[in-house]
Every structure is written in structure tokens, then in C-alpha cells.
Amino acid sequence: MGNVPSAVKHCLSYQQLLREHLWIGDSVAGALDPAQETSQLSGLPEFVKIVEVGPRDGLQNEKVIVPTDIKIEFINRLSQTGLSVIEVTSFVSSRWVPQMADHTEVMKGIHQYPGVRYPVLTPNLQGFHRAVAAGATEISVFGAASESFSKKNINCSIEESMGKFEEVVKSARHMNIPARGYVSCALGCPYEGIITPQKVTEVSKRLYSMGCYEISLGDTIGVGTPGSMKRMLESVMKEIPLGALAVHCHDTYGQALANILTALQMGINVVDSAVSGLGGCPYAKGASGNVATEDLIYMLNGLGLNTGVNLYKVMEAGDFICKAVNKTTNSKVAQASFNA
Amino acid sequence: MAAMTKALPRRLVGLASLRAVSTSSMDTLPKQVKIVEVGPRDGLQNEKNIVSTPVKIKLIDMLSEAGLSVIEATSFVSPKWVPQMADHAEVLKGIQKFPGITYPVLIPNLKGFEAAVAAGAKEVSIFGAASELFTKKNINCSIEESFQRFDAILKAAQSANISVRGYVSCVLGCPYEGKISPAKVAEVTKKFYSMGCYEISLGDTIGVGTPGIMKDMLSAVMQEVPPAALAVHCHDTYGQALANTLMALQMGVSVVDSSVAGLGGCPYAQGASGNLATEDLVYMLEGLGIHTDSPLLSHLGERSVDPQIPSFQLQDKWN
């Protein structure tokens, strides 16, 4: 920037800028070819589904145990933003994940808005049954593309874990409950380092063929870059239809949005994110967590991709949860807008 | 949800256009990228605390040792306007000038140019904008008048054999005017290039841009100025810097400005973050197999993706 004095001169407030100019690319005066305009308008709107994982993946990695009523309020607020999928909690043993100990109360306590889905994590059959008893109508299972990670995380090999997930997914399908599959360490593992795209494909294919309707490919420790994202997706896309894939990027090394852009360019149109970029990384002290939903929406809006989500309402929900857990937001959009 | 989608204005160039700059362009990414480190100037300029001269000199020396090939050292602007840069002459005289590294300095006018040359500057940068209002508020004249000033500087620089880099601010949006047309950016950039700037850095000054807008802007500019003479300078105010930079690389830009530690905030958005962080940029470039100028920087990047070093160990190294 040039010789800008420290005093801020009169200009558009950021709130104004956000409100009026978020769709900056929308009608750039005279810059677009009229022929282009016509062809774009005639098509259907391009839509990206955002899967909000803040209440689960985000909070799970926060040190402060968040009270149940705060979690419920948080999820209720998210339900009013236009988000269509909000991952609520995890039916995992409270010994392993104390933050999620109140899974049943949260599941029962939230208001389930029409048109919004509330998947929950279910690591095994026991968790699955509890989830259903608590009112869950969608579940997720968590695999990994790394043997070491699988061993350390859920104390079994990939093969053994697939056996458990198969039980869960079959039961779910039997009850007409959709199941989503996650593949962790898709772009790198904290124990094994590099993970081959072939391994990611193999695990994804297992989950897909057992009945998961969607596979979320997770850059668990955020080490991926656009090149590794591209190579991994090229491999997976040979075996699994595009429409069944999602990406789940952590921002540990600041690469999340660049990686997501790459995924979008390859046709992926489901993206996981966490409001305020909640969650750190248990493998990298001090590191940032999930990609922030606000920053993701900002990019998608600017690209002209519809999400159905109201950025302002998401920012407000983010502000709420950050105040509740007493932390600063990881969202750059929120930082720029909320004059912390 | 239907009501929500109706309310959203539909952008005319959407996902389809994005795919046009598709992953095939990942194969046409530049093999080498020059990083222009602007931390000591753009970064520090936006920091509230006045950093002492010895600390500034130490920072620049450390950056030189890290292997960066271009480090913008300071700004020869009046201390009345930018107190942080009041020690410009001492900084430029005090730093170690490594062979193979250039240390450009900002100059707002002929007086600044002369002071810079007297202090040993071999390369200077001038700052224009693609917004009339921003130019007026920033340097108190119109874009046209600013060109006249710059012309005088360029002529003097040419006589003295000093390279001049041009900056165009507000290329993806202006804090005063809002939207900026790619055509305007192209016009200003072309003017700088034809006046004699060897390189023009296109700045998303307030970080409002997103990859589609970056693409539109670059498409317009590249019709007037060769890609090799272009650089991008992205601010991370809304977290978009790296994604925007990636798009620029896909479009053929191979010079990227960044700031160590993502130094600097934004005078237009209190609390906002600043420049794209050099570390995060290097991480991405290395992950893409793109060489940055220096083997040392490459090594830094390599370590971050070294399979022998789990990420948590690496983090501990930085702590």
C-alpha cells in the first residue's frame, strides 16, 4: 500500500463494503462480453453445499469445555443462517472426547429446523444406537487413509475400522438413515507423513461401496497444497462420482482456501468448514483449525457461487461462540468486520 | 432457502468460468516465482508500534540471509505522514547489501527520489491507484496528475540508471469507491509500463478480492501488459490472499509480493490482518514444486513437507 497515514480517512465502512460490495464481481461495468453474459444467465445457478462442522469438529478441538446450553444455542443460531447441514455432536465415549460427553442432551435439546440436517458422528454400533435413540436422523463414520493414524486414533487397523463402520452403515441404511463417510489424513499424516492418493482412493471406495452417500476427504493436519489436493482428487474421482465427494480442509498452514479453490475447479461442490475457524490441531500446538465458514462464504460469494447461507448471520453466530469460549475468532472476515 | 437464493445477485462469470482456468492450468503454473518481500516497508508501515532503526536493520539483514532476492527496505516519505518510515535514510545506509539481492525503496515524489538516491538506493518504487478517490485521498491529486509527477520521477530515474517498479493500488476494490473496473486497472497499468516501469505490482489493497475478480482483472491487464512484467500484491484482510495468489499464478503471473509474518494490519479495517504472509506463500509454492529464488527458502519450504518431520515436531521448532 502507498503512503497511507495512520489516520483513517473518510471512506466506506467495512460493514458497508461487505453489504454492498461482497458480490464485487457481479456487474463489473463494461468488462464482460455480452455473449458471455447471456450464456451464463441461461444456466442453472451454481450451488455449493457447505457442511458446518463447528459444533463438532470445531468444538472437539477446543480446550474449554463448552456448557450444553451454549452448544444448543450455538447450533440453533447456525440453523437460522441458511446452512443446510450442521454436524451437531459425536456419540463417542466421553472418556476419549470429554467435550462431546453431552451428546445426547445436545441432540435432544436443539431445535431441528425444517430443511436443515443434523448429522452426528458415530464411531461404532453402540454410538449409533445411542444417536438414534436421541433422535439423530443422519450419521457419519470416520475412517483414515493412514494405518498409523487409524491405530492411534481409534485403536485399530484400517481394515478393522472398515468392519466396524460397515456394521454401522448397514444398520443405518436398514433404518433409512443416511451415512456420510470421512477419510482423514487425505493429504498427509502426522505419523506417516506423505499419504498416497491411491490409499485415499482405496479407503474412500470402501466407504462409498458400503453405503456412505458422501465421502468427505479431510486434510486433517492442513499440510496439503493445491498440487497435492489435485493429485489426490484426480485419483479418487476415478472411482467415486463427483457428486458424492466433499473436501474438509484444515488451515494449519494457511492453505485451506487455496486448496478448496483447487477442489472447486475440479468440480467438487461440497465443502466442510467451521464457523470462526473453530478448533486447533491436536498435532500442532498453537496451530489454527478448520477453515473458517465466514472466509469460505466470502470466497464463494465473490465467485458468484450460491450457498444459500447468510454471511452476516454466520458471523453473528461466530461472534456468539467466540465470546462463549473466550477466544478470538480465526476468521479473517470476522476480524476485519467486528473491530475486535 | 429459495428466498435466500433469490436474494443473492447472480454473478455472470461463475463456476464454469473457474473451470476454464482449470486444473490443466496447474500444469502451466510458473516453474519459478520471484517473491518480493515487503514486510519491512508495507508490513511495518501498518504496524502501530514504532519499530526502532536497529530492529528494522536486523529484520532486513535476516531476510537477506533467508535468501529472498528482493526486499523492499523502506519508504522515503515525509515522517509527518508515515512516522514509522522516518528513519528511511539510516535504514537504507545501515543494512547489509548482499550481492544478488535488490533493496527497492518507495518514493512518493522527486524530492523523495533524490533523498533515496543520496542514501544509496539503486531501485525505487512508485505508487499509483486504479481509483480516483483513493488517489485524491492518498496523494491529494487526480490519477492524471499523479502520472505527471511519476513521469518526472521516471525520467530522473532513467538518467540515473535506476530501475523503477510501479504499484497500482485498489485493483480489486477501493475503500472509497467500492468496485473498480478491470478496464481502469488495465489503463493505469499500461500507463506505468509505457512510462518505463519494469514491473507493475497489482495490489488488492484492502483484500476484498476473490479469485474470480482477480481473474477478470488480470485478463484485462494482460491484454495490455506482458504477464512477465506483472506481479500481484494481495492483502489477507478477508483471508483470500493465498487463493487469489493461486489464481494469479494460474493466469501466468510469476512475481508475488508478501510480508514476513503477514506483518501489517489495514488502516481501513481496525483489527484486520495485513499482507499475505511470506511463510504461507513459500509453503504453497514449495508444495506445488515451484522454485523460489533461493535454495535457503526452498529448504525452509521442504522441511515443512518433509515426511520425516511430523507437523507437530515442526511446530515445536518454531515455538
Side-chain angles (χ1 to χ4, degrees):
Chain A
M1 200 147 31
N3 310 315
V4 179
S6 48
V8 175
K9 298 173 176 141
H10 304 294
C11 69
L12 300 176
S13 71
Y14 261 94
Q15 283 71 20
Q16 200 175 352
L17 198 66
L18 274 182
R19 269 195 294 278
E20 294 169 13
H21 301 284
L22 260 184
W23 331 110
I24 281 176
D26 188 55
S27 52
V28 175
L32 290 169
D33 177 30
Q36 230 178 359
E37 277 178 63
T38 318
S39 65
Q40 290 301 326
L41 280 172
S42 63
L44 291 170
E46 306 281 11
F47 188 82
V48 172
K49 179 175 83 176
I50 296 178
V51 174
E52 173 59 43
V53 299
R56 202 276 311 161
D57 196 6
L59 289 187
Q60 186 168 298
N61 281 311
E62 290 292 333
K63 290 195 183 55
V64 175
I65 300 291
V66 179
T68 307
D69 58 338
I70 301 279
K71 284 185 182 126
I72 290 170
E73 170 71 23
F74 177 42
I75 294 164
N76 286 342
R77 284 177 186 234
L78 289 171
S79 292
Q80 297 171 64
T81 61
L83 283 161
S84 61
V85 187
I86 302 166
E87 199 170 63
V88 167
T89 187
S90 177
F91 280 79
V92 68
S93 158
S94 51
R95 243 182 333 143
W96 290 118
V97 189
Q99 181 75 272
M100 301 283 128
D102 56 359
H103 40 64
T104 302
E105 293 88 347
V106 171
M107 191 72 232
K108 286 182 174 167
I110 57 167
H111 180 67
Q112 295 197 35
Y113 284 69
V116 185
R117 288 153 43 202
Y118 301 94
V120 298
L121 228 68
T122 53
N124 49 40
L125 217 44
Q126 192 186 53
F128 171 72
H129 290 309
R130 286 211 180 107
V132 172
T137 51
E138 183 166 328
I139 58 122
S140 315
V141 292
F142 241 89
S146 151
E147 283 293 354
S148 313
F149 190 86
S150 198
K151 271 250 150 47
K152 302 256 185 189
N153 212 29
I154 53 177
N155 207 25
C156 60
S157 69
I158 295 181
E159 189 54 45
E160 285 163 349
S161 73
M162 291 296 135
K164 290 189 194 181
F165 299 147
E166 202 139 7
E167 289 181 326
V168 174
V169 176
K170 284 203 153 56
S171 304
R173 290 186 72 192
H174 187 67
M175 298 175 70
N176 251 339
I177 290 178
R180 188 186 209 225
Y182 280 92
V183 180
S184 301
C185 300
L187 300 181
C189 170
Y191 307 102
E192 293 186 12
I194 291 178
I195 296 293
T196 66
Q198 289 71 27
K199 193 70 191 174
V200 180
T201 304
E202 188 189 307
V203 175
S204 304
K205 202 173 165 186
R206 271 306 284 279
L207 289 169
Y208 186 66
S209 53
M210 73 173 70
C212 292
Y213 76 92
E214 192 171 88
I215 312 299
S216 174
L217 303 161
D219 183 12
T220 306
I221 47 170
V223 286
T225 49
S228 58
M229 172 65 85
K230 176 178 178 252
R231 286 189 292 277
M232 185 274 293
L233 285 175
E234 273 173 346
S235 173
V236 176
M237 279 160 60
K238 286 189 182 126
E239 303 286 345
I240 298 183
L242 201 50
L245 294 173
V247 290
H248 179 111
C249 296
H250 278 237
D251 204 33
T252 323
Y253 293 93
Q255 309 295 303
L257 277 185
N259 292 341
I260 290 167
L261 176 63
T262 303
L264 293 171
Q265 288 177 327
M266 293 184 71
I268 300 286
N269 62 1
V270 182
V271 182
D272 299 0
S273 61
V275 72
S276 296
L278 279 177
C281 177
Y283 303 97
K285 194 165 74 142
S288 55
N290 284 274
V291 67
T293 303
E294 298 93 318
D295 300 4
L296 171 66
I297 294 174
Y298 188 95
M299 182 174 80
L300 296 175
N301 286 346
L303 286 167
L305 307 181
N306 287 324
T307 59
V309 185
N310 183 314
L311 175 57
Y312 279 97
K313 293 201 171 146
V314 171
M315 279 166 56
E316 283 167 4
D319 192 47
F320 167 79
I321 195 64
C322 284
K323 287 192 164 91
V325 303
N326 195 26
K327 70 170 278 182
T328 345
T329 180
N330 277 330
S331 156
K332 296 270 167 72
V333 171
Q335 275 170 35
S337 315
F338 275 137
N339 290 355
Chain B
M1 195 147 20
M4 287 279 193
T5 44
K6 215 174 19 172
L8 294 174
R10 197 180 308 172
R11 186 163 176 270
L12 300 172
V13 187
L15 196 55
S17 158
L18 248 199
R19 291 208 195 103
V21 184
S22 70
T23 46
S24 62
S25 50
M26 202 73 83
D27 305 322
T28 58
L29 285 173
K31 300 263 185 305
Q32 177 126 354
V33 163
K34 178 175 83 174
I35 295 177
V36 174
E37 171 60 48
V38 298
R41 202 277 310 162
D42 196 6
L44 288 186
Q45 186 169 294
N46 283 309
E47 291 292 333
K48 288 195 184 61
N49 299 324
I50 301 292
V51 175
S52 72
T53 308
V55 171
K56 285 189 180 114
I57 290 171
K58 173 95 183 150
L59 170 64
I60 295 166
D61 288 347
M62 285 175 81
L63 291 168
S64 295
E65 282 165 24
L68 290 149
S69 65
V70 185
I71 303 166
E72 200 171 61
T74 186
S75 177
F76 280 76
V77 69
S78 159
K80 234 192 329 150
W81 289 117
V82 190
Q84 181 74 272
M85 300 284 128
D87 55 0
H88 38 66
E90 296 94 290
V91 168
L92 191 55
K93 288 179 182 165
I95 57 172
Q96 282 186 65
K97 301 220 181 59
F98 287 60
I101 303 181
T102 52
Y103 301 92
V105 298
L106 221 71
I107 46 147
N109 49 37
L110 212 47
K111 193 168 109 168
F113 172 74
E114 282 154 11
V117 172
K122 299 276 187 289
E123 182 172 322
V124 298
S125 312
I126 54 175
F127 252 83
S131 152
E132 282 291 355
L133 262 178
F134 188 87
T135 305
K136 195 111 201 118
K137 302 263 184 185
N138 215 26
I139 55 177
N140 206 23
C141 63
S142 70
I143 293 182
E144 191 52 47
E145 284 161 349
S146 75
F147 284 145
Q148 287 162 22
R149 292 186 197 177
F150 296 144
D151 207 41
I153 295 172
L154 274 151
K155 287 196 161 58
Q158 264 151 25
S159 315
N161 237 348
I162 287 181
S163 314
V164 181
R165 188 187 208 229
Y167 279 93
V168 181
S169 301
C170 300
V171 300
L172 303 183
C174 169
Y176 306 102
E177 291 186 14
K179 292 174 197 173
I180 295 291
S181 79
K184 190 72 188 174
V185 181
E187 186 192 312
V188 174
T189 309
K190 188 181 174 179
K191 191 73 207 237
F192 268 148
Y193 188 62
S194 57
M195 285 197 306
C197 292
Y198 77 92
E199 191 172 274
I200 295 98
S201 173
L202 304 164
D204 181 13
T205 307
I206 49 170
V208 285
T210 44
I213 302 157
M214 171 64 87
K215 174 175 176 265
D216 290 346
M217 183 276 293
L218 285 174
S219 297
V221 173
M222 284 175 176
Q223 282 174 26
E224 307 287 348
V225 177
L230 298 174
V232 290
H233 178 113
C234 297
H235 277 240
D236 206 33
T237 323
Y238 294 94
Q240 308 297 305
L242 202 59
N244 290 342
T245 300
L246 176 63
M247 180 57 85
L249 295 173
Q250 290 175 344
M251 297 281 293
V253 172
S254 61
V255 182
V256 181
D257 299 359
S258 63
S259 177
V260 67
L263 277 179
C266 176
Y268 301 97
Q270 201 190 14
S273 54
N275 284 277
L276 168 64
T278 302
E279 299 91 320
D280 299 5
L281 170 65
V282 169
Y283 189 95
M284 182 175 79
L285 295 175
E286 289 299 324
L288 284 168
I290 294 175
H291 287 291
T292 53
D293 296 351
S294 125
L296 259 174
L297 259 187
S298 299
H299 180 61
L300 243 176
E302 262 166 28
R303 283 167 62 201
S304 59
V305 295
D306 185 339
Q308 305 309 317
I309 301 180
S311 63
F312 62 85
Q313 272 185 22
L314 186 64
Q315 193 66 28
D316 286 349
K317 278 182 161 55
W318 295 130
N319 282 345

